[in-house]
Amino acid sequence: SDLFPIKEKKMNKIFASILNFFNDITGHYLIALLLVALLVKLVLLPFGIKQQKTAQKQAKLRPKEMAIRKKYSGRTDQPTMTKMNTEIQEMYREGGYNPLGGCLPMIIQFAIVMIIYSVMMNPLQYVCGYSTEAIDALREFLGVAAAKRGDIELLSLITADKIPAIQALGKGLENMTMESLPNFSLFGMANALAAKPTFKSWLVTIPIITFVGQFFASKLQRKFMPQPMQDGAQTKSMNVMMDLFLPAMTTVIAFTVPAAVGIYWFFNNMLGVLQTVILAKAMPLPKITEEDIKAAESEYSAKNAKKKLAEAKKKQRLSDDYDSDEEDASFDDGGPTRYDRD
């Protein structure tokens, strides 16, 4: 537990260096965020390819899953559902498909997003390189209490007329200038990316585009990826959650964080949409035909018949062994035999 903060800080510095590099060559934090989002997508592309291959494998097994579900259709009692799910999982194992195979890439992507979030929320520390002592002194000067969400909120309070007084604080702030700070301006509004969106400001458009981006990404993801086979009510409920709940939750969060975070999330979603489309075209999912479904049903029926035959033979063999043991016992019970009676 002592090492984790050290590793986390080191990773933050690595991503901050990348962000600084893009910020230096572009001269704007907004474009730097776009390039960072693009770089992250490129780094994680192998995981995206692996997920697409996993989706292809799942799609190929879909007819077999349909055959199993057809066998148990109309029966919703718990024992039957448990047996059906067990058969589906067994079929997945035999087909080399792991339903949880996509979890690791998602965890890695989430970890990277959290690191980028931490860097974006603390630009004075990671982008500008100011020490904790310097940032605390700046907080005291600006009359801002210690923030739970980083030092990004301080940028919106730093103005040109305050720079001389800030430089006089010392502690590493002597060289601060407006030019040395990240360029958070947007459409002529200074430090707009450091401000939180509100309904009274045009920044309200950022949570809106965040909602649109998440909504579009969820729709496209469902279109190009195989979805779990569930009954109508479950499918409808899941679709509503994907189409409305997640975008709505993202929008609410976008109102609680600086605009830069919402914009980065929008970039991330749009690049994710682009990646999904490209991979879907380059590695399309196999289409299921009626012949595939009938073949899977025939295979499943033959497999069940073979399994039942094997179980019947095993049961008969056990019964024969039991009868044989009973017969042997009748000769060893110490009673008179036919030869004794003769």
Side-chain angles (χ1 to χ4, degrees), residues 15 21 23 31-32 68 72 77 82 86 88 114-115 164 167 197 206 235 240 264 297 320 337 340:
F15 276 90
F21 172 75
N23 187 48
I31 303 176
I68 296 174
Y72 295 99
D77 57 284
T82 300
T86 300
I88 291 175
M114 292 304 297
I115 291 173
Q167 293 175 341
I206 292 178
T235 301
V240 170
Y264 173 82
E297 290 177 352
D320 292 343
T337 65
D340 295 332

Side-chain angles (χ1 to χ4, degrees), residues 126-170:
Y126 294 112
V127 178
C128 299
Y130 292 117
S131 66
T132 302
E133 183 182 11
I135 294 173
D136 289 342
L138 188 59
R139 286 187 184 282
E140 185 177 353
F141 171 77
L142 295 173
V144 179
K148 297 180 179 179
R149 299 181 183 275
D151 58 49
I152 193 172
E153 62 180 350
L154 299 179
L155 287 177
S156 61
L157 302 177
I158 299 175
T159 55
D161 61 304
K162 295 178 181 177
I163 290 295
I166 292 175
Q167 293 175 341
L169 295 175

Side-chain angles (χ1 to χ4, degrees), residues 43-98:
V43 170
L44 295 179
L45 182 59
F47 291 106
I49 294 174
K50 183 178 179 181
Q51 284 181 307
Q52 187 68 17
K53 289 181 178 179
T54 300
Q56 287 181 317
K57 189 174 294 185
Q58 181 188 8
K60 290 179 181 179
L61 296 173
R62 181 55 59 90
K64 294 183 178 181
E65 182 180 351
M66 293 173 67
I68 296 174
R69 291 185 180 277
K70 183 177 180 180
K71 173 187 174 183
Y72 295 99
S73 62
R75 300 163 60 186
T76 58
D77 57 284
Q78 190 59 42
T80 298
M81 298 301 294
T82 300
K83 187 176 181 181
M84 180 187 71
N85 290 330
T86 300
E87 285 194 32
I88 291 175
Q89 294 303 318
E90 183 180 352
M91 180 270 296
Y92 279 158
R93 284 195 299 271
E94 293 175 354
Y97 167 71
N98 181 7

